[in-house]
Amino acid sequence: MTTLGTLLFTWLRGEQVGTDVAGNKYYRLKGARPLVKGGGMDSRERRWVIYNGMPEASKVPAEWHGWLHHSTNALPPADLQKRPWQKEHLPNLTGTTLAYRPPGSILKGGVRARATGDYEPWVPN
């Protein structure tokens, strides 16, 4: 779902530097001029992502997020080993049928447990 302008710019001026497990492709400006320290826009190289499918910023994994936002200049390794306690990256599920719905949510049936004796409603004086 990338725009024609972005595809054309990527084809003419982009250099692909990697792909993540979701199939998103990451690019930087090829043949860029030397960076100027303290030069505003000239002090950073231009980086962008072409999403696989619908564009959704939460689809970018943490390792690529750091590179895209210039937190690190090192590209994530292609064979990144996850720790046993790390979960797979999930995009933001808000607004989808897979979103979390707590007990009592209208979207989950709307029935919740009755309040117990420890609840006291606020009464203005």
Side-chain angles (χ1 to χ4, degrees):
M1 302 304 289
T2 306
T3 64
L4 182 60
T6 302
L7 286 175
L8 187 60
F9 181 81
T10 301
W11 183 64
L12 294 173
R13 308 272 320 268
E15 168 191 6
Q16 186 175 350
V17 294
T19 306
D20 65 19
V21 294
N24 300 324
K25 297 176 184 174
Y26 298 87
Y27 294 88
R28 71 171 139 214
L29 202 59
K30 66 180 170 187
R33 59 185 180 275
L35 303 178
V36 179
K37 195 166 193 85
M41 291 297 289
D42 293 332
S43 64
R44 292 180 171 197
E45 72 178 353
R46 192 163 182 186
R47 300 173 180 174
W48 66 96
V49 59
I50 303 286
Y51 296 103
N52 181 21
M54 292 297 291
E56 171 61 45
S58 69
K59 288 164 98 174
V60 175
E63 56 270 11
W64 281 102
H65 183 273
W67 179 81
L68 269 177
H69 291 88
H70 301 275
S71 296
T72 179
N73 286 327
L75 293 169
D79 58 345
L80 184 66
Q81 298 295 318
K82 293 215 179 257
R83 308 259 184 199
W85 48 266
Q86 287 179 308
K87 293 182 177 181
E88 289 296 318
H89 174 74
L90 286 176
N92 185 353
L93 300 175
T94 303
T96 69
T97 57
L98 300 174
Y100 173 71
R101 293 175 183 16
S105 168
I106 294 172
L107 298 173
K108 194 176 179 181
V111 179
R112 66 173 217 205
R114 303 262 322 144
T116 59
D118 62 347
Y119 174 75
E120 294 179 29
W122 177 77
V123 178
N125 292 333

